[in-house]
């Protein structure tokens, strides 16, 4: 309740404060996305090195396209557990 009252008072004193708060939140989210993407690209480079060291066996019922897709290195930019 106290926080709601404080925010109402802040909006009364400075109507543009809500917009600044939202803009700051969007900027933080964008920075976080960039950071996760950089980490994923770094992990991808490491995975590529490991995958290049050992060949992935092709399954009997697998097409060339499926094998290529399955054997290419991947990294997640959203899964924080894999960091």
């Amino acid at each position: 309740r106290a926080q709601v009252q404080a925010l109402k008072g802040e909006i009364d004193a400075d109507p543009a404060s809500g917009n600044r708060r939202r803009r700051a939140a969007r900027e933080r989210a964008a920075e976080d996305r960039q950071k996760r993407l950089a980490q994923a690209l770094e992990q991808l480079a490491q995975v590529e090195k490991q995958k290049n060291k050992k060949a992935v066996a092709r399954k009997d019922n697998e097409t060339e396209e499926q094998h290529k897709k399955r054997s290419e290195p991947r990294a997640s930019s959203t899964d924080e557990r894999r960091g």
Side-chain angles (χ1 to χ4, degrees):
R1 257 186 193 192
Q3 187 176 8
V4 172
Q5 291 300 323
L7 289 173
K8 283 183 180 180
E10 184 179 317
I11 289 174
D12 290 340
D14 184 10
S17 66
N19 291 335
R20 282 194 303 273
R21 189 183 317 272
R22 277 189 229 105
R23 185 180 311 122
R26 281 194 304 268
E27 289 174 4
R28 282 192 309 272
E31 289 171 2
D32 186 48
R33 249 189 325 273
Q34 284 182 324
K35 183 178 165 184
R36 286 193 322 261
L37 183 58
Q39 289 174 343
L41 290 173
E42 187 177 304
Q43 288 176 355
L44 181 60
Q46 293 173 358
V47 170
E48 283 177 335
K49 283 181 185 177
Q50 291 174 353
K51 283 224 175 198
N52 288 336
K53 288 181 181 177
K54 66 175 189 174
V56 177
R58 184 171 173 185
K59 295 180 180 179
D60 291 335
N61 60 348
E62 182 174 55
T63 67
E64 183 65 31
E65 185 177 320
Q66 290 170 331
H67 174 69
K68 186 175 180 182
K69 185 173 183 177
R70 186 174 59 85
S71 61
E72 70 184 24
R74 297 173 43 183
S76 173
S77 64
T78 58
D79 190 358
E80 294 179 14
R81 295 175 294 173
R82 296 183 182 198

